[in-house]
Amino acid sequence: MLNIFTLVNGRLFQEEIESLEELSRFQPIWVDLESPTLEEKRWIKQYFGLSIPEDAMDEDIEESARFYEEDNGELHIRSDFLIADDDEPRTVRCAFILNLHNANLRSQGVLFSIHDEDVPVFRLLRMRARRAPGLIEDAKEVLLKLFDADAEYSADTLEGIYDQLEKVGNTVLSGDVTDAMASEVLGAIARQEDMNGRIRRNVMDTRRALSFMMRSKMLNAEQFEDARQIMRDIDSLDSHTAFLFDKINFLMDATVGFININQNKIIKIFSVASVALLPPTLIASIYGMNFQYMPELNQTWGYPMAIALMAASAVVPMWYFRRRGWLK
């Protein structure tokens, strides 16, 4: 899908383009290509004079080739954006191309973004730019606000992780954790740990992209200060992710501790049963010996006495263990 965004009275308006003729009727500041077809790439090449690299959205591209400036003045930025889906959290690689200097091409002052699927951060910016006049001034502002919205999206997701960990913590610290409950808790903790790690990687990638924009001197003084503020927000997110990792480790250790306690209870029961059955086993072993002269063997009360001794030798240890509280 080819979406173009024009700036009218300080607001960002979206148009879906289905032909090259429609594209020529607008003067966009942002062209968003979601899973672009070969025909849409041809329109971009023909109208704007911009060639979209074949490896624009490759995941395995070298890190050193993700942020660079072409000889013709085009800035290329490849950055990852988080999709905090509960079932399948993931990051989406987005490629940005911005021509600020080559006035011979219609692409000058237009931000081009290429990605394979819709990104929540893009939707968030589009909604804000429609409602808040003056939020966007030019193509550089679009890119900067995308990274700002990305940092805010990560912050909101971190708040959701903390809320989920609070629920898990209440379950764990209730003290009555069964093995089945512990299994569910460990699964929930693992999911939140994975999400927290993805957020940390995402904000690190955003920091690198902002750093490149600041070094390239493409931002004016006000935009440069906005970028510095976003960097400060990202630094606070780093501290929060570290705090959440500590909380996750604590809950993980506490859950594993309860599992060990449950296992120790089972082992204790087996141990008590083994000790309680030792005296009856000893008595049975004595009377099982094949000596000729054993007085009780010739008595009518010999068998009942042996049974009574074995029963008493089992009951007395169990009574003692129960009194000491070892069976709880």
Side-chain angles (χ1 to χ4, degrees):
M1 183 182 299
L2 179 61
N3 296 313
I4 66 169
F5 298 86
T6 58
L7 198 61
V8 180
N9 297 326
R11 298 177 186 269
L12 204 62
F13 284 88
Q14 177 179 354
E15 298 287 346
E16 292 186 3
I17 300 302
E18 298 182 356
S19 66
L20 181 60
E21 291 73 19
E22 291 183 3
L23 182 61
S24 61
R25 298 205 310 263
F26 300 97
Q27 182 56 45
I29 65 167
W30 179 19
V31 177
D32 184 42
L33 297 96
E34 179 182 336
S35 298
T37 63
L38 293 176
E39 185 179 19
E40 290 170 342
K41 291 181 179 180
R42 181 177 58 80
W43 295 346
I44 298 299
K45 172 67 175 177
Q46 183 174 344
Y47 185 77
F48 291 103
L50 177 72
S51 297
I52 298 176
E54 293 297 328
D55 62 349
M57 293 170 290
D58 285 357
E59 294 288 340
D60 57 349
I61 190 172
E62 294 183 5
E63 296 296 320
S64 59
R66 292 178 57 190
F67 311 97
Y68 63 93
E69 183 174 358
E70 291 278 14
D71 294 336
N72 60 4
E74 290 178 356
L75 292 174
H76 290 254
I77 297 176
R78 291 171 173 84
S79 186
D80 295 333
F81 288 83
L82 178 69
I83 298 181
D85 186 75
D86 292 334
D87 297 327
E88 187 185 355
R90 59 197 181 278
T91 54
V92 176
R93 175 64 54 85
C94 298
F96 298 100
I97 305 174
L98 181 58
N99 169 26
L100 295 175
H101 308 295
N102 193 344
N104 296 324
L105 299 176
R106 290 176 178 172
S107 62
Q108 184 185 25
V110 181
L111 174 68
F112 296 86
S113 58
I114 307 99
H115 49 98
D116 285 330
E117 58 181 303
D118 194 19
V119 181
V121 170
F122 285 44
R123 296 197 302 268
L124 178 61
L125 177 63
R126 293 195 295 263
M127 179 184 67
R128 287 181 175 176
R130 284 196 301 266
R131 296 179 178 177
L135 180 67
I136 303 296
E137 296 180 357
D138 54 24
K140 296 180 295 182
E141 196 81 37
V142 173
L143 185 56
L144 196 60
K145 294 301 181 183
L146 280 173
F147 289 128
D148 186 19
D150 187 40
E152 183 175 346
Y153 181 76
S154 296
D156 292 340
T157 307
L158 285 176
E159 291 180 3
I161 292 176
Y162 184 82
D163 292 339
Q164 292 298 321
L165 291 178
E166 280 289 296
K167 296 178 181 178
V168 172
N170 293 334
T171 301
V172 172
L173 300 180
S174 64
D176 185 19
V177 180
T178 63
D179 289 347
M181 185 184 300
S183 177
E184 295 179 2
V185 167
L186 287 176
I189 293 175
R191 287 191 295 272
Q192 301 310 318
E193 192 277 339
D194 176 70
M195 183 68 76
N196 196 46
R198 290 179 182 276
I199 291 174
R200 188 155 197 170
R201 181 184 181 278
N202 183 66
V203 296
M204 180 189 69
D205 186 85
T206 303
R207 180 191 286 113
R208 293 184 59 203
L210 286 169
S211 179
F212 172 76
M213 292 175 65
M214 297 168 72
R215 291 196 310 270
S216 65
K217 300 179 180 180
M218 59 180 285
L219 306 176
N220 58 37
E222 183 177 355
Q223 292 170 344
F224 191 86
E225 183 58 33
D226 290 342
R228 291 181 60 186
Q229 181 58 49
I230 299 172
M231 295 284 273
R232 287 192 287 267
D233 292 340
I234 289 176
D235 289 339
S236 67
L237 292 180
D238 271 342
S239 301
H240 197 58
T241 55
F243 161 73
L244 288 179
F245 275 127
D246 291 339
K247 188 175 181 66
I248 287 169
N249 289 332
F250 165 73
L251 292 175
M252 186 75 72
D253 292 341
T255 305
V256 172
F258 279 112
I259 293 175
N260 291 334
I261 290 174
N262 292 339
Q263 291 177 343
N264 290 337
K265 288 180 180 179
I266 297 173
I267 294 174
K268 182 175 67 174
I269 292 173
F270 279 108
S271 300
V272 169
S274 299
V275 172
L277 292 176
L278 282 177
T281 303
L282 176 61
I283 295 172
S285 300
I286 292 173
Y287 285 102
M289 294 186 293
N290 296 320
F291 291 109
Q292 182 178 359
Y293 300 103
M294 296 183 70
E296 293 85 355
L297 294 180
N298 297 322
Q299 303 297 326
T300 56
W301 46 264
Y303 177 74
M305 183 198 69
I307 295 297
L309 280 175
M310 286 189 286
S313 63
V315 170
V316 171
M318 293 296 292
W319 169 81
Y320 178 76
F321 294 152
R322 189 176 186 86
R323 185 177 180 183
R324 296 295 299 270
W326 293 353
L327 296 179
K328 296 181 180 179

